[in-house]
Amino acid sequence: MSAAGITALVKDLASRDLVAYRPYRGVRLTESGRERALEILRRHRLLELFLVEVLGMDWSEVHQEAEALEHVISERVAHRLDVTLGHPQVDPHGDPIPPPNGDMPRDNPKSLLSCDEGCDLTVARIDDQSGEFLRLVDEIGLRPGSRVRVEERNSAAETVQIQVATLGEVSLGMQAASKILVEA
Ligand SMILES: [Zn+2]
């Protein structure tokens, strides 16, 4: 987006009280802007789960569909999604679903790049929405809920050696490893 385009966007958001702009201090979300952003995030993640669980789509293809739908569904539909899905806590990628009008739980998850070596861990979340990366994750068997252990990191080769149930020992690049979030 061009500088003029960004200025126009910020002005539009400011006129709707979604962002506040102060010269030299930049732009920040107002309280109502923050609530709106969280509501959109909530719809996005409920829709992703609906597309996977109810419509049987693959988790690697739902991000873009949800991106389009999140802006057009009503509050009532969002509420029905939540009820139908049983008030889920996370979407298919393990991303937390914000509670209605509530705060996002703050978590500080470790990744396969930052976790301890030699511990048995569970994949909690995949921090990349691209279909290509998600298909790779599938191939390796690293979906949320999968068990995994970091055997060794090699900073010279920039690889992380992991042990997964499906394939045994697998070597991942460090950037890929940083996008697989885990919990004990
Ligand atoms: Zn997601």
Side-chain angles (χ1 to χ4, degrees), residues 38-50 53 78 81-82 85-105 107 125:
L38 270 182
E39 178 55 29
I40 294 285
L41 194 62
R42 172 177 162 75
R43 291 175 184 205
H44 180 95
R45 291 178 176 171
L46 284 171
L47 281 161
E48 280 191 342
L49 193 63
F50 174 79
E53 297 276 308
L81 284 174
D82 183 46
L85 295 166
H87 308 292
Q89 308 272 307
V90 293
D91 80 2
H93 310 105
D95 296 318
I97 297 172
N101 310 321
D103 264 321
M104 261 305 245
D107 57 348
R125 191 170 164 188

PDB file of all heavy atoms in Angstrom, residues 38-50 53 78 81-82 85-105 107 125:
ATOM      1  N   LEU A  38     -10.641  -8.078  18.102  1.00  0.00           N
ATOM      2  CA  LEU A  38     -10.786  -9.365  18.791  1.00  0.00           C
ATOM      3  C   LEU A  38     -12.031 -10.109  18.317  1.00  0.00           C
ATOM      4  O   LEU A  38     -12.021 -11.329  18.185  1.00  0.00           O
ATOM      5  CB  LEU A  38     -10.880  -9.151  20.308  1.00  0.00           C
ATOM      6  CG  LEU A  38      -9.577  -9.165  21.086  1.00  0.00           C
ATOM      7  CD1 LEU A  38      -9.866  -8.998  22.574  1.00  0.00           C
ATOM      8  CD2 LEU A  38      -8.798 -10.450  20.853  1.00  0.00           C
ATOM      9  N   GLU A  39     -13.105  -9.346  18.045  1.00  0.00           N
ATOM     10  CA  GLU A  39     -14.345  -9.968  17.571  1.00  0.00           C
ATOM     11  C   GLU A  39     -14.130 -10.598  16.188  1.00  0.00           C
ATOM     12  O   GLU A  39     -14.594 -11.700  15.918  1.00  0.00           O
ATOM     13  CB  GLU A  39     -15.471  -8.918  17.550  1.00  0.00           C
ATOM     14  CG  GLU A  39     -16.812  -9.416  17.022  1.00  0.00           C
ATOM     15  CD  GLU A  39     -17.352 -10.646  17.753  1.00  0.00           C
ATOM     16  OE1 GLU A  39     -17.037 -10.816  18.955  1.00  0.00           O
ATOM     17  OE2 GLU A  39     -18.063 -11.455  17.118  1.00  0.00           O
ATOM     18  N   ILE A  40     -13.394  -9.889  15.334  1.00  0.00           N
ATOM     19  CA  ILE A  40     -13.101 -10.434  14.000  1.00  0.00           C
ATOM     20  C   ILE A  40     -12.231 -11.692  14.120  1.00  0.00           C
ATOM     21  O   ILE A  40     -12.443 -12.690  13.441  1.00  0.00           O
ATOM     22  CB  ILE A  40     -12.383  -9.373  13.118  1.00  0.00           C
ATOM     23  CG1 ILE A  40     -13.317  -8.200  12.821  1.00  0.00           C
ATOM     24  CG2 ILE A  40     -11.865  -9.995  11.830  1.00  0.00           C
ATOM     25  CD1 ILE A  40     -14.390  -8.486  11.792  1.00  0.00           C
ATOM     26  N   LEU A  41     -11.266 -11.635  15.034  1.00  0.00           N
ATOM     27  CA  LEU A  41     -10.388 -12.788  15.250  1.00  0.00           C
ATOM     28  C   LEU A  41     -11.198 -13.978  15.757  1.00  0.00           C
ATOM     29  O   LEU A  41     -10.993 -15.124  15.343  1.00  0.00           O
ATOM     30  CB  LEU A  41      -9.314 -12.398  16.275  1.00  0.00           C
ATOM     31  CG  LEU A  41      -8.110 -13.323  16.393  1.00  0.00           C
ATOM     32  CD1 LEU A  41      -7.351 -13.363  15.076  1.00  0.00           C
ATOM     33  CD2 LEU A  41      -7.187 -12.835  17.511  1.00  0.00           C
ATOM     34  N   ARG A  42     -12.132 -13.679  16.660  1.00  0.00           N
ATOM     35  CA  ARG A  42     -13.001 -14.727  17.191  1.00  0.00           C
ATOM     36  C   ARG A  42     -13.811 -15.379  16.077  1.00  0.00           C
ATOM     37  O   ARG A  42     -13.877 -16.602  15.969  1.00  0.00           O
ATOM     38  CB  ARG A  42     -13.926 -14.095  18.235  1.00  0.00           C
ATOM     39  CG  ARG A  42     -15.024 -14.981  18.748  1.00  0.00           C
ATOM     40  CD  ARG A  42     -15.812 -14.239  19.828  1.00  0.00           C
ATOM     41  NE  ARG A  42     -17.097 -14.877  20.048  1.00  0.00           N
ATOM     42  CZ  ARG A  42     -17.235 -16.018  20.711  1.00  0.00           C
ATOM     43  NH1 ARG A  42     -16.187 -16.606  21.242  1.00  0.00           N
ATOM     44  NH2 ARG A  42     -18.418 -16.563  20.860  1.00  0.00           N
ATOM     45  N   ARG A  43     -14.417 -14.569  15.201  1.00  0.00           N
ATOM     46  CA  ARG A  43     -15.204 -15.106  14.084  1.00  0.00           C
ATOM     47  C   ARG A  43     -14.331 -15.914  13.140  1.00  0.00           C
ATOM     48  O   ARG A  43     -14.734 -16.971  12.654  1.00  0.00           O
ATOM     49  CB  ARG A  43     -15.858 -13.961  13.304  1.00  0.00           C
ATOM     50  CG  ARG A  43     -16.933 -13.287  14.108  1.00  0.00           C
ATOM     51  CD  ARG A  43     -17.477 -12.095  13.394  1.00  0.00           C
ATOM     52  NE  ARG A  43     -18.438 -11.426  14.258  1.00  0.00           N
ATOM     53  CZ  ARG A  43     -19.429 -10.669  13.825  1.00  0.00           C
ATOM     54  NH1 ARG A  43     -19.566 -10.474  12.530  1.00  0.00           N
ATOM     55  NH2 ARG A  43     -20.259 -10.113  14.668  1.00  0.00           N
ATOM     56  N   HIS A  44     -13.149 -15.386  12.876  1.00  0.00           N
ATOM     57  CA  HIS A  44     -12.230 -16.070  11.961  1.00  0.00           C
ATOM     58  C   HIS A  44     -11.933 -17.487  12.451  1.00  0.00           C
ATOM     59  O   HIS A  44     -12.017 -18.458  11.703  1.00  0.00           O
ATOM     60  CB  HIS A  44     -10.929 -15.269  11.850  1.00  0.00           C
ATOM     61  CG  HIS A  44      -9.922 -15.888  10.929  1.00  0.00           C
ATOM     62  ND1 HIS A  44      -9.813 -15.524   9.604  1.00  0.00           N
ATOM     63  CD2 HIS A  44      -9.007 -16.862  11.119  1.00  0.00           C
ATOM     64  CE1 HIS A  44      -8.873 -16.244   9.036  1.00  0.00           C
ATOM     65  NE2 HIS A  44      -8.353 -17.066   9.928  1.00  0.00           N
ATOM     66  N   ARG A  45     -11.642 -17.585  13.725  1.00  0.00           N
ATOM     67  CA  ARG A  45     -11.228 -18.892  14.250  1.00  0.00           C
ATOM     68  C   ARG A  45     -12.403 -19.846  14.416  1.00  0.00           C
ATOM     69  O   ARG A  45     -12.259 -21.053  14.198  1.00  0.00           O
ATOM     70  CB  ARG A  45     -10.450 -18.668  15.555  1.00  0.00           C
ATOM     71  CG  ARG A  45      -9.123 -17.992  15.225  1.00  0.00           C
ATOM     72  CD  ARG A  45      -8.263 -17.649  16.409  1.00  0.00           C
ATOM     73  NE  ARG A  45      -6.987 -17.109  15.928  1.00  0.00           N
ATOM     74  CZ  ARG A  45      -6.071 -16.556  16.705  1.00  0.00           C
ATOM     75  NH1 ARG A  45      -6.264 -16.473  18.015  1.00  0.00           N
ATOM     76  NH2 ARG A  45      -4.944 -16.094  16.189  1.00  0.00           N
ATOM     77  N   LEU A  46     -13.585 -19.308  14.763  1.00  0.00           N
ATOM     78  CA  LEU A  46     -14.782 -20.150  14.816  1.00  0.00           C
ATOM     79  C   LEU A  46     -15.113 -20.670  13.417  1.00  0.00           C
ATOM     80  O   LEU A  46     -15.452 -21.846  13.238  1.00  0.00           O
ATOM     81  CB  LEU A  46     -15.978 -19.355  15.366  1.00  0.00           C
ATOM     82  CG  LEU A  46     -16.007 -19.104  16.872  1.00  0.00           C
ATOM     83  CD1 LEU A  46     -17.116 -18.117  17.217  1.00  0.00           C
ATOM     84  CD2 LEU A  46     -16.195 -20.408  17.651  1.00  0.00           C
ATOM     85  N   LEU A  47     -14.996 -19.792  12.425  1.00  0.00           N
ATOM     86  CA  LEU A  47     -15.287 -20.203  11.042  1.00  0.00           C
ATOM     87  C   LEU A  47     -14.318 -21.280  10.568  1.00  0.00           C
ATOM     88  O   LEU A  47     -14.724 -22.262   9.938  1.00  0.00           O
ATOM     89  CB  LEU A  47     -15.220 -18.986  10.110  1.00  0.00           C
ATOM     90  CG  LEU A  47     -16.455 -18.086  10.141  1.00  0.00           C
ATOM     91  CD1 LEU A  47     -16.141 -16.709   9.571  1.00  0.00           C
ATOM     92  CD2 LEU A  47     -17.611 -18.730   9.389  1.00  0.00           C
ATOM     93  N   GLU A  48     -13.041 -21.111  10.890  1.00  0.00           N
ATOM     94  CA  GLU A  48     -12.057 -22.125  10.490  1.00  0.00           C
ATOM     95  C   GLU A  48     -12.430 -23.487  11.072  1.00  0.00           C
ATOM     96  O   GLU A  48     -12.390 -24.508  10.386  1.00  0.00           O
ATOM     97  CB  GLU A  48     -10.655 -21.733  10.990  1.00  0.00           C
ATOM     98  CG  GLU A  48      -9.960 -20.694  10.133  1.00  0.00           C
ATOM     99  CD  GLU A  48      -8.503 -20.529  10.504  1.00  0.00           C
ATOM    100  OE1 GLU A  48      -8.114 -20.953  11.616  1.00  0.00           O
ATOM    101  OE2 GLU A  48      -7.752 -19.966   9.689  1.00  0.00           O
ATOM    102  N   LEU A  49     -12.805 -23.481  12.338  1.00  0.00           N
ATOM    103  CA  LEU A  49     -13.159 -24.742  12.989  1.00  0.00           C
ATOM    104  C   LEU A  49     -14.415 -25.342  12.372  1.00  0.00           C
ATOM    105  O   LEU A  49     -14.499 -26.549  12.134  1.00  0.00           O
ATOM    106  CB  LEU A  49     -13.350 -24.500  14.494  1.00  0.00           C
ATOM    107  CG  LEU A  49     -13.409 -25.764  15.340  1.00  0.00           C
ATOM    108  CD1 LEU A  49     -12.102 -26.534  15.277  1.00  0.00           C
ATOM    109  CD2 LEU A  49     -13.733 -25.425  16.803  1.00  0.00           C
ATOM    110  N   PHE A  50     -15.391 -24.476  12.077  1.00  0.00           N
ATOM    111  CA  PHE A  50     -16.628 -24.927  11.442  1.00  0.00           C
ATOM    112  C   PHE A  50     -16.344 -25.562  10.079  1.00  0.00           C
ATOM    113  O   PHE A  50     -16.862 -26.626   9.743  1.00  0.00           O
ATOM    114  CB  PHE A  50     -17.577 -23.732  11.282  1.00  0.00           C
ATOM    115  CG  PHE A  50     -18.820 -24.048  10.522  1.00  0.00           C
ATOM    116  CD1 PHE A  50     -19.875 -24.713  11.133  1.00  0.00           C
ATOM    117  CD2 PHE A  50     -18.957 -23.673   9.193  1.00  0.00           C
ATOM    118  CE1 PHE A  50     -21.041 -25.008  10.427  1.00  0.00           C
ATOM    119  CE2 PHE A  50     -20.111 -23.963   8.481  1.00  0.00           C
ATOM    120  CZ  PHE A  50     -21.154 -24.631   9.101  1.00  0.00           C
ATOM    121  N   GLU A  53     -14.533 -28.970  10.951  1.00  0.00           N
ATOM    122  CA  GLU A  53     -15.288 -29.968  11.727  1.00  0.00           C
ATOM    123  C   GLU A  53     -16.624 -30.320  11.087  1.00  0.00           C
ATOM    124  O   GLU A  53     -17.033 -31.467  11.112  1.00  0.00           O
ATOM    125  CB  GLU A  53     -15.556 -29.434  13.135  1.00  0.00           C
ATOM    126  CG  GLU A  53     -14.295 -29.180  13.937  1.00  0.00           C
ATOM    127  CD  GLU A  53     -13.794 -30.444  14.626  1.00  0.00           C
ATOM    128  OE1 GLU A  53     -14.617 -31.060  15.318  1.00  0.00           O
ATOM    129  OE2 GLU A  53     -12.615 -30.783  14.451  1.00  0.00           O
ATOM    130  N   ALA A  78     -22.381 -15.903  14.380  1.00  0.00           N
ATOM    131  CA  ALA A  78     -21.158 -16.168  15.153  1.00  0.00           C
ATOM    132  C   ALA A  78     -21.508 -16.889  16.447  1.00  0.00           C
ATOM    133  O   ALA A  78     -20.833 -17.855  16.846  1.00  0.00           O
ATOM    134  CB  ALA A  78     -20.424 -14.862  15.439  1.00  0.00           C
ATOM    135  N   LEU A  81     -22.423 -20.481  15.716  1.00  0.00           N
ATOM    136  CA  LEU A  81     -21.215 -21.274  15.444  1.00  0.00           C
ATOM    137  C   LEU A  81     -20.601 -21.729  16.758  1.00  0.00           C
ATOM    138  O   LEU A  81     -20.233 -22.890  16.934  1.00  0.00           O
ATOM    139  CB  LEU A  81     -20.186 -20.431  14.673  1.00  0.00           C
ATOM    140  CG  LEU A  81     -20.417 -20.189  13.184  1.00  0.00           C
ATOM    141  CD1 LEU A  81     -19.371 -19.225  12.653  1.00  0.00           C
ATOM    142  CD2 LEU A  81     -20.359 -21.504  12.411  1.00  0.00           C
ATOM    143  N   ASP A  82     -20.487 -20.787  17.691  1.00  0.00           N
ATOM    144  CA  ASP A  82     -19.882 -21.079  18.987  1.00  0.00           C
ATOM    145  C   ASP A  82     -20.657 -22.184  19.715  1.00  0.00           C
ATOM    146  O   ASP A  82     -20.068 -23.142  20.233  1.00  0.00           O
ATOM    147  CB  ASP A  82     -19.846 -19.786  19.812  1.00  0.00           C
ATOM    148  CG  ASP A  82     -19.169 -19.984  21.152  1.00  0.00           C
ATOM    149  OD1 ASP A  82     -18.084 -20.608  21.175  1.00  0.00           O
ATOM    150  OD2 ASP A  82     -19.706 -19.517  22.174  1.00  0.00           O
ATOM    151  N   LEU A  85     -20.438 -25.637  17.880  1.00  0.00           N
ATOM    152  CA  LEU A  85     -19.122 -26.266  18.018  1.00  0.00           C
ATOM    153  C   LEU A  85     -18.790 -26.593  19.477  1.00  0.00           C
ATOM    154  O   LEU A  85     -17.709 -27.116  19.765  1.00  0.00           O
ATOM    155  CB  LEU A  85     -18.048 -25.340  17.429  1.00  0.00           C
ATOM    156  CG  LEU A  85     -18.138 -25.104  15.915  1.00  0.00           C
ATOM    157  CD1 LEU A  85     -17.281 -23.931  15.487  1.00  0.00           C
ATOM    158  CD2 LEU A  85     -17.733 -26.367  15.151  1.00  0.00           C
ATOM    159  N   GLY A  86     -19.716 -26.266  20.403  1.00  0.00           N
ATOM    160  CA  GLY A  86     -19.505 -26.618  21.807  1.00  0.00           C
ATOM    161  C   GLY A  86     -18.546 -25.680  22.535  1.00  0.00           C
ATOM    162  O   GLY A  86     -17.753 -26.116  23.358  1.00  0.00           O
ATOM    163  N   HIS A  87     -18.629 -24.372  22.244  1.00  0.00           N
ATOM    164  CA  HIS A  87     -17.785 -23.354  22.898  1.00  0.00           C
ATOM    165  C   HIS A  87     -16.307 -23.749  22.887  1.00  0.00           C
ATOM    166  O   HIS A  87     -15.679 -23.918  23.921  1.00  0.00           O
ATOM    167  CB  HIS A  87     -18.239 -23.104  24.338  1.00  0.00           C
ATOM    168  CG  HIS A  87     -19.703 -22.794  24.443  1.00  0.00           C
ATOM    169  ND1 HIS A  87     -20.249 -21.625  23.938  1.00  0.00           N
ATOM    170  CD2 HIS A  87     -20.725 -23.505  24.972  1.00  0.00           C
ATOM    171  CE1 HIS A  87     -21.567 -21.644  24.160  1.00  0.00           C
ATOM    172  NE2 HIS A  87     -21.876 -22.759  24.780  1.00  0.00           N
ATOM    173  N   PRO A  88     -15.785 -23.918  21.678  1.00  0.00           N
ATOM    174  CA  PRO A  88     -14.388 -24.390  21.566  1.00  0.00           C
ATOM    175  C   PRO A  88     -13.383 -23.355  22.070  1.00  0.00           C
ATOM    176  O   PRO A  88     -13.640 -22.154  22.020  1.00  0.00           O
ATOM    177  CB  PRO A  88     -14.217 -24.596  20.054  1.00  0.00           C
ATOM    178  CG  PRO A  88     -15.191 -23.647  19.432  1.00  0.00           C
ATOM    179  CD  PRO A  88     -16.370 -23.618  20.359  1.00  0.00           C
ATOM    180  N   GLN A  89     -12.242 -23.849  22.539  1.00  0.00           N
ATOM    181  CA  GLN A  89     -11.179 -22.979  23.038  1.00  0.00           C
ATOM    182  C   GLN A  89     -10.149 -22.642  21.959  1.00  0.00           C
ATOM    183  O   GLN A  89      -9.513 -21.602  22.018  1.00  0.00           O
ATOM    184  CB  GLN A  89     -10.435 -23.675  24.183  1.00  0.00           C
ATOM    185  CG  GLN A  89     -11.332 -24.201  25.283  1.00  0.00           C
ATOM    186  CD  GLN A  89     -11.586 -23.142  26.318  1.00  0.00           C
ATOM    187  OE1 GLN A  89     -10.649 -22.571  26.848  1.00  0.00           O
ATOM    188  NE2 GLN A  89     -12.850 -22.860  26.569  1.00  0.00           N
ATOM    189  N   VAL A  90      -9.971 -23.569  21.022  1.00  0.00           N
ATOM    190  CA  VAL A  90      -8.939 -23.357  19.997  1.00  0.00           C
ATOM    191  C   VAL A  90      -9.464 -23.725  18.615  1.00  0.00           C
ATOM    192  O   VAL A  90     -10.387 -24.519  18.481  1.00  0.00           O
ATOM    193  CB  VAL A  90      -7.657 -24.190  20.279  1.00  0.00           C
ATOM    194  CG1 VAL A  90      -6.941 -23.714  21.520  1.00  0.00           C
ATOM    195  CG2 VAL A  90      -7.968 -25.673  20.359  1.00  0.00           C
ATOM    196  N   ASP A  91      -8.847 -23.138  17.586  1.00  0.00           N
ATOM    197  CA  ASP A  91      -9.219 -23.439  16.201  1.00  0.00           C
ATOM    198  C   ASP A  91      -8.377 -24.619  15.687  1.00  0.00           C
ATOM    199  O   ASP A  91      -7.585 -25.184  16.440  1.00  0.00           O
ATOM    200  CB  ASP A  91      -9.107 -22.154  15.354  1.00  0.00           C
ATOM    201  CG  ASP A  91      -7.684 -21.829  14.940  1.00  0.00           C
ATOM    202  OD1 ASP A  91      -6.757 -22.599  15.256  1.00  0.00           O
ATOM    203  OD2 ASP A  91      -7.497 -20.789  14.285  1.00  0.00           O
ATOM    204  N   PRO A  92      -8.556 -25.012  14.416  1.00  0.00           N
ATOM    205  CA  PRO A  92      -7.838 -26.216  13.939  1.00  0.00           C
ATOM    206  C   PRO A  92      -6.315 -26.094  13.979  1.00  0.00           C
ATOM    207  O   PRO A  92      -5.614 -27.104  13.946  1.00  0.00           O
ATOM    208  CB  PRO A  92      -8.314 -26.369  12.484  1.00  0.00           C
ATOM    209  CG  PRO A  92      -9.552 -25.564  12.376  1.00  0.00           C
ATOM    210  CD  PRO A  92      -9.441 -24.467  13.372  1.00  0.00           C
ATOM    211  N   HIS A  93      -5.812 -24.861  14.010  1.00  0.00           N
ATOM    212  CA  HIS A  93      -4.356 -24.678  14.048  1.00  0.00           C
ATOM    213  C   HIS A  93      -3.835 -24.554  15.468  1.00  0.00           C
ATOM    214  O   HIS A  93      -2.656 -24.296  15.685  1.00  0.00           O
ATOM    215  CB  HIS A  93      -3.972 -23.433  13.245  1.00  0.00           C
ATOM    216  CG  HIS A  93      -4.594 -23.410  11.884  1.00  0.00           C
ATOM    217  ND1 HIS A  93      -5.649 -22.594  11.558  1.00  0.00           N
ATOM    218  CD2 HIS A  93      -4.337 -24.158  10.781  1.00  0.00           C
ATOM    219  CE1 HIS A  93      -6.007 -22.825  10.304  1.00  0.00           C
ATOM    220  NE2 HIS A  93      -5.238 -23.770   9.813  1.00  0.00           N
ATOM    221  N   GLY A  94      -4.750 -24.674  16.453  1.00  0.00           N
ATOM    222  CA  GLY A  94      -4.347 -24.554  17.850  1.00  0.00           C
ATOM    223  C   GLY A  94      -4.366 -23.124  18.353  1.00  0.00           C
ATOM    224  O   GLY A  94      -3.982 -22.853  19.491  1.00  0.00           O
ATOM    225  N   ASP A  95      -4.820 -22.180  17.504  1.00  0.00           N
ATOM    226  CA  ASP A  95      -4.873 -20.775  17.932  1.00  0.00           C
ATOM    227  C   ASP A  95      -6.047 -20.562  18.879  1.00  0.00           C
ATOM    228  O   ASP A  95      -7.157 -21.016  18.600  1.00  0.00           O
ATOM    229  CB  ASP A  95      -5.041 -19.853  16.716  1.00  0.00           C
ATOM    230  CG  ASP A  95      -3.854 -19.915  15.784  1.00  0.00           C
ATOM    231  OD1 ASP A  95      -2.724 -19.935  16.292  1.00  0.00           O
ATOM    232  OD2 ASP A  95      -4.059 -19.944  14.558  1.00  0.00           O
ATOM    233  N   PRO A  96      -5.829 -19.860  20.003  1.00  0.00           N
ATOM    234  CA  PRO A  96      -6.910 -19.669  20.965  1.00  0.00           C
ATOM    235  C   PRO A  96      -8.035 -18.805  20.399  1.00  0.00           C
ATOM    236  O   PRO A  96      -7.776 -17.826  19.698  1.00  0.00           O
ATOM    237  CB  PRO A  96      -6.217 -18.963  22.145  1.00  0.00           C
ATOM    238  CG  PRO A  96      -4.956 -18.402  21.604  1.00  0.00           C
ATOM    239  CD  PRO A  96      -4.559 -19.266  20.437  1.00  0.00           C
ATOM    240  N   ILE A  97      -9.279 -19.186  20.680  1.00  0.00           N
ATOM    241  CA  ILE A  97     -10.444 -18.422  20.235  1.00  0.00           C
ATOM    242  C   ILE A  97     -10.809 -17.437  21.349  1.00  0.00           C
ATOM    243  O   ILE A  97     -11.106 -17.847  22.459  1.00  0.00           O
ATOM    244  CB  ILE A  97     -11.630 -19.362  19.933  1.00  0.00           C
ATOM    245  CG1 ILE A  97     -11.257 -20.293  18.771  1.00  0.00           C
ATOM    246  CG2 ILE A  97     -12.889 -18.568  19.625  1.00  0.00           C
ATOM    247  CD1 ILE A  97     -12.266 -21.393  18.491  1.00  0.00           C
ATOM    248  N   PRO A  98     -10.776 -16.126  21.064  1.00  0.00           N
ATOM    249  CA  PRO A  98     -11.090 -15.159  22.124  1.00  0.00           C
ATOM    250  C   PRO A  98     -12.519 -15.359  22.610  1.00  0.00           C
ATOM    251  O   PRO A  98     -13.414 -15.571  21.802  1.00  0.00           O
ATOM    252  CB  PRO A  98     -10.955 -13.794  21.427  1.00  0.00           C
ATOM    253  CG  PRO A  98     -10.237 -14.046  20.159  1.00  0.00           C
ATOM    254  CD  PRO A  98     -10.504 -15.472  19.779  1.00  0.00           C
ATOM    255  N   PRO A  99     -12.761 -15.307  23.924  1.00  0.00           N
ATOM    256  CA  PRO A  99     -14.131 -15.410  24.434  1.00  0.00           C
ATOM    257  C   PRO A  99     -14.928 -14.182  24.009  1.00  0.00           C
ATOM    258  O   PRO A  99     -14.344 -13.135  23.742  1.00  0.00           O
ATOM    259  CB  PRO A  99     -13.948 -15.469  25.951  1.00  0.00           C
ATOM    260  CG  PRO A  99     -12.590 -14.909  26.212  1.00  0.00           C
ATOM    261  CD  PRO A  99     -11.776 -15.124  24.990  1.00  0.00           C
ATOM    262  N   PRO A 100     -16.284 -14.280  23.931  1.00  0.00           N
ATOM    263  CA  PRO A 100     -17.077 -13.142  23.458  1.00  0.00           C
ATOM    264  C   PRO A 100     -16.863 -11.926  24.358  1.00  0.00           C
ATOM    265  O   PRO A 100     -17.011 -12.033  25.572  1.00  0.00           O
ATOM    266  CB  PRO A 100     -18.525 -13.643  23.517  1.00  0.00           C
ATOM    267  CG  PRO A 100     -18.493 -14.860  24.363  1.00  0.00           C
ATOM    268  CD  PRO A 100     -17.118 -15.424  24.304  1.00  0.00           C
ATOM    269  N   ASN A 101     -16.572 -10.789  23.751  1.00  0.00           N
ATOM    270  CA  ASN A 101     -16.323  -9.522  24.459  1.00  0.00           C
ATOM    271  C   ASN A 101     -15.305  -9.643  25.573  1.00  0.00           C
ATOM    272  O   ASN A 101     -15.308  -8.861  26.513  1.00  0.00           O
ATOM    273  CB  ASN A 101     -17.616  -8.954  25.060  1.00  0.00           C
ATOM    274  CG  ASN A 101     -18.713  -8.923  24.026  1.00  0.00           C
ATOM    275  OD1 ASN A 101     -18.470  -8.614  22.870  1.00  0.00           O
ATOM    276  ND2 ASN A 101     -19.915  -9.270  24.437  1.00  0.00           N
ATOM    277  N   GLY A 102     -14.465 -10.636  25.487  1.00  0.00           N
ATOM    278  CA  GLY A 102     -13.542 -10.834  26.587  1.00  0.00           C
ATOM    279  C   GLY A 102     -12.116 -10.579  26.181  1.00  0.00           C
ATOM    280  O   GLY A 102     -11.840 -10.094  25.090  1.00  0.00           O
ATOM    281  N   ASP A 103     -11.252 -10.904  27.050  1.00  0.00           N
ATOM    282  CA  ASP A 103      -9.845 -10.698  26.795  1.00  0.00           C
ATOM    283  C   ASP A 103      -9.218 -11.960  26.247  1.00  0.00           C
ATOM    284  O   ASP A 103      -9.640 -13.066  26.564  1.00  0.00           O
ATOM    285  CB  ASP A 103      -9.131 -10.297  28.079  1.00  0.00           C
ATOM    286  CG  ASP A 103      -9.007  -8.791  28.156  1.00  0.00           C
ATOM    287  OD1 ASP A 103      -8.756  -8.172  27.104  1.00  0.00           O
ATOM    288  OD2 ASP A 103      -9.177  -8.241  29.252  1.00  0.00           O
ATOM    289  N   MET A 104      -8.196 -11.763  25.440  1.00  0.00           N
ATOM    290  CA  MET A 104      -7.421 -12.892  24.963  1.00  0.00           C
ATOM    291  C   MET A 104      -6.579 -13.395  26.112  1.00  0.00           C
ATOM    292  O   MET A 104      -5.895 -12.619  26.755  1.00  0.00           O
ATOM    293  CB  MET A 104      -6.462 -12.413  23.878  1.00  0.00           C
ATOM    294  CG  MET A 104      -6.919 -12.652  22.482  1.00  0.00           C
ATOM    295  SD  MET A 104      -7.328 -14.328  22.081  1.00  0.00           S
ATOM    296  CE  MET A 104      -6.065 -14.633  20.889  1.00  0.00           C
ATOM    297  N   PRO A 105      -6.647 -14.704  26.365  1.00  0.00           N
ATOM    298  CA  PRO A 105      -5.719 -15.216  27.371  1.00  0.00           C
ATOM    299  C   PRO A 105      -4.292 -15.033  26.866  1.00  0.00           C
ATOM    300  O   PRO A 105      -3.997 -15.347  25.713  1.00  0.00           O
ATOM    301  CB  PRO A 105      -6.087 -16.702  27.467  1.00  0.00           C
ATOM    302  CG  PRO A 105      -6.851 -17.018  26.232  1.00  0.00           C
ATOM    303  CD  PRO A 105      -7.449 -15.733  25.739  1.00  0.00           C
ATOM    304  N   ASP A 107      -0.669 -16.044  26.461  1.00  0.00           N
ATOM    305  CA  ASP A 107       0.193 -17.190  26.688  1.00  0.00           C
ATOM    306  C   ASP A 107       1.543 -16.887  26.057  1.00  0.00           C
ATOM    307  O   ASP A 107       1.685 -15.994  25.248  1.00  0.00           O
ATOM    308  CB  ASP A 107      -0.406 -18.475  26.115  1.00  0.00           C
ATOM    309  CG  ASP A 107      -0.693 -18.339  24.622  1.00  0.00           C
ATOM    310  OD1 ASP A 107      -0.642 -17.216  24.106  1.00  0.00           O
ATOM    311  OD2 ASP A 107      -0.967 -19.365  23.988  1.00  0.00           O
ATOM    312  N   ARG A 125       0.236 -25.665  18.747  1.00  0.00           N
ATOM    313  CA  ARG A 125      -0.219 -24.634  17.827  1.00  0.00           C
ATOM    314  C   ARG A 125       0.748 -24.508  16.658  1.00  0.00           C
ATOM    315  O   ARG A 125       1.958 -24.665  16.849  1.00  0.00           O
ATOM    316  CB  ARG A 125      -0.211 -23.351  18.642  1.00  0.00           C
ATOM    317  CG  ARG A 125      -0.857 -22.190  18.066  1.00  0.00           C
ATOM    318  CD  ARG A 125      -0.933 -21.144  19.181  1.00  0.00           C
ATOM    319  NE  ARG A 125      -1.211 -19.868  18.609  1.00  0.00           N
ATOM    320  CZ  ARG A 125      -1.193 -18.727  19.289  1.00  0.00           C
ATOM    321  NH1 ARG A 125      -0.889 -18.730  20.568  1.00  0.00           N
ATOM    322  NH2 ARG A 125      -1.477 -17.606  18.687  1.00  0.00           N
TER     323      ARG A 125
END
